[in-house]
Amino acid sequence: VEVVTAQELELALAVKARVIGVNNRNLHTLVLDKDRTCFIAQELRRRGVAFGAGEETKLLALSGLATAEDVAQCRAIRCSGILVGEALMRAADPGSAILSMMGTSKEESALPSTASEVLVKVCGVRRVEDASCAIAAGGQ
């Protein structure tokens, strides 16, 4: 369930949604608020909802993520996944952009994970070599 506000989160929790995506972009104005996912994470904690790796509820950060710092913030607030699209569409080298965002080189794994964890959904990749970089960096 995609949420933007605390009220929408309340509805998502009422229907027992297990995957909660937070759109960081206002789809009416296209204004980006990267703190929106952090706010929803705080609301989940305030409501006593466990989320993240190993928990039933998964929090996803959607839209506006473009840097390693953005991904690090998502890791810090226990996001189970991120959606990256525009940053890759605009990148001259999407494979390198993926590796840069995930904080890794081509030789090492970006994230500690198991095959069953949802970590990152990568959109906008058009070349096999870029898709290979996304997979090597933990993309699904």
Side-chain angles (χ1 to χ4, degrees):
V1 174
E2 186 173 310
V3 304
V4 174
T5 65
Q7 293 80 16
E8 291 174 350
L9 176 62
E10 194 64 41
L11 291 172
L13 295 174
V15 298
K16 301 188 184 327
R18 292 294 171 233
V19 178
I20 298 171
V22 182
N23 198 330
N24 292 314
R25 187 177 310 279
N26 180 319
L27 296 179
H28 300 289
T29 65
L30 301 180
V31 172
L32 185 63
D33 178 2
K34 291 184 185 181
D35 292 328
R36 189 174 285 157
T37 300
C38 186
F39 168 76
I40 295 296
Q42 290 170 345
E43 286 294 309
L44 285 168
R45 286 186 195 94
R46 191 176 69 77
R47 288 170 165 81
V49 177
F51 64 95
E55 302 294 346
E56 282 188 23
T57 302
K58 306 298 181 194
L59 180 66
L60 309 178
L62 313 175
S63 273
L65 305 172
T67 67
E69 291 78 19
D70 294 338
V71 175
Q73 180 181 14
C74 290
R75 285 182 179 130
I77 62 173
R78 300 183 46 90
C79 286
S80 294
I82 61 174
L83 182 139
V84 177
E86 182 182 359
L88 298 181
M89 296 295 291
R90 294 181 184 276
D93 182 349
S96 292
I98 291 165
L99 294 174
S100 175
M101 279 186 270
M102 299 307 291
T104 188
S105 68
K106 291 181 181 182
E107 289 77 36
E108 62 186 26
S109 176
L111 297 170
S113 65
T114 62
S116 65
E117 287 184 79
V118 176
L119 297 172
V120 91
K121 175 185 175 188
V122 178
C123 303
V125 173
R126 298 177 185 199
R127 300 182 316 165
V128 171
E129 55 269 29
D130 297 333
S132 295
C133 286
I135 291 167
Q140 304 293 323

mmCIF file of all heavy atoms in Angstrom, residues 2 7 50 57 62 93 98 113:
data_model
loop_
_atom_site.group_PDB
_atom_site.id
_atom_site.type_symbol
_atom_site.label_atom_id
_atom_site.label_comp_id
_atom_site.label_asym_id
_atom_site.label_seq_id
_atom_site.Cartn_x
_atom_site.Cartn_y
_atom_site.Cartn_z
ATOM 1 N N GLU A 2 0.621 2.155 -0.902
ATOM 2 C CA GLU A 2 1.393 3.391 -0.949
ATOM 3 C C GLU A 2 0.760 4.418 -0.023
ATOM 4 O O GLU A 2 -0.459 4.615 -0.039
ATOM 5 C CB GLU A 2 1.424 3.937 -2.374
ATOM 6 C CG GLU A 2 2.320 5.150 -2.526
ATOM 7 C CD GLU A 2 2.481 5.566 -3.961
ATOM 8 O OE1 GLU A 2 2.784 4.713 -4.818
ATOM 9 O OE2 GLU A 2 2.299 6.773 -4.236
ATOM 10 N N GLN A 7 -2.459 9.639 8.144
ATOM 11 C CA GLN A 7 -3.826 9.130 7.969
ATOM 12 C C GLN A 7 -3.854 7.958 6.989
ATOM 13 O O GLN A 7 -4.552 6.963 7.218
ATOM 14 C CB GLN A 7 -4.767 10.248 7.489
ATOM 15 C CG GLN A 7 -4.995 11.347 8.503
ATOM 16 C CD GLN A 7 -3.835 12.364 8.555
ATOM 17 O OE1 GLN A 7 -2.996 12.446 7.662
ATOM 18 N NE2 GLN A 7 -3.771 13.105 9.649
ATOM 19 N N ALA A 50 6.557 -3.259 14.304
ATOM 20 C CA ALA A 50 7.914 -3.686 13.958
ATOM 21 C C ALA A 50 8.003 -3.784 12.436
ATOM 22 O O ALA A 50 7.110 -4.314 11.782
ATOM 23 C CB ALA A 50 8.215 -5.031 14.595
ATOM 24 N N THR A 57 6.252 -6.633 8.464
ATOM 25 C CA THR A 57 5.971 -5.380 7.772
ATOM 26 C C THR A 57 7.241 -4.850 7.126
ATOM 27 O O THR A 57 8.290 -4.764 7.766
ATOM 28 C CB THR A 57 5.386 -4.340 8.746
ATOM 29 O OG1 THR A 57 4.191 -4.882 9.316
ATOM 30 C CG2 THR A 57 5.062 -3.039 8.033
ATOM 31 N N LEU A 62 10.049 5.263 -1.875
ATOM 32 C CA LEU A 62 9.761 5.372 -3.300
ATOM 33 C C LEU A 62 9.988 6.802 -3.782
ATOM 34 O O LEU A 62 9.459 7.738 -3.196
ATOM 35 C CB LEU A 62 8.298 4.990 -3.570
ATOM 36 C CG LEU A 62 7.776 3.712 -2.907
ATOM 37 C CD1 LEU A 62 6.297 3.546 -3.177
ATOM 38 C CD2 LEU A 62 8.561 2.505 -3.377
ATOM 39 N N ASP A 93 25.849 6.633 -17.108
ATOM 40 C CA ASP A 93 26.240 5.236 -16.928
ATOM 41 C C ASP A 93 25.413 4.671 -15.772
ATOM 42 O O ASP A 93 25.824 4.749 -14.609
ATOM 43 C CB ASP A 93 27.736 5.150 -16.618
ATOM 44 C CG ASP A 93 28.227 3.714 -16.473
ATOM 45 O OD1 ASP A 93 27.401 2.771 -16.403
ATOM 46 O OD2 ASP A 93 29.452 3.530 -16.408
ATOM 47 N N ILE A 98 24.244 2.922 -10.107
ATOM 48 C CA ILE A 98 23.722 1.928 -9.160
ATOM 49 C C ILE A 98 24.780 1.594 -8.121
ATOM 50 O O ILE A 98 24.521 1.608 -6.914
ATOM 51 C CB ILE A 98 23.262 0.654 -9.898
ATOM 52 C CG1 ILE A 98 22.015 0.943 -10.733
ATOM 53 C CG2 ILE A 98 22.999 -0.487 -8.896
ATOM 54 C CD1 ILE A 98 21.712 -0.128 -11.760
ATOM 55 N N SER A 113 22.557 -9.585 2.609
ATOM 56 C CA SER A 113 21.176 -9.992 2.354
ATOM 57 C C SER A 113 21.092 -11.485 2.098
ATOM 58 O O SER A 113 22.077 -12.147 1.822
ATOM 59 C CB SER A 113 20.620 -9.250 1.143
ATOM 60 O OG SER A 113 21.331 -9.632 -0.020
#
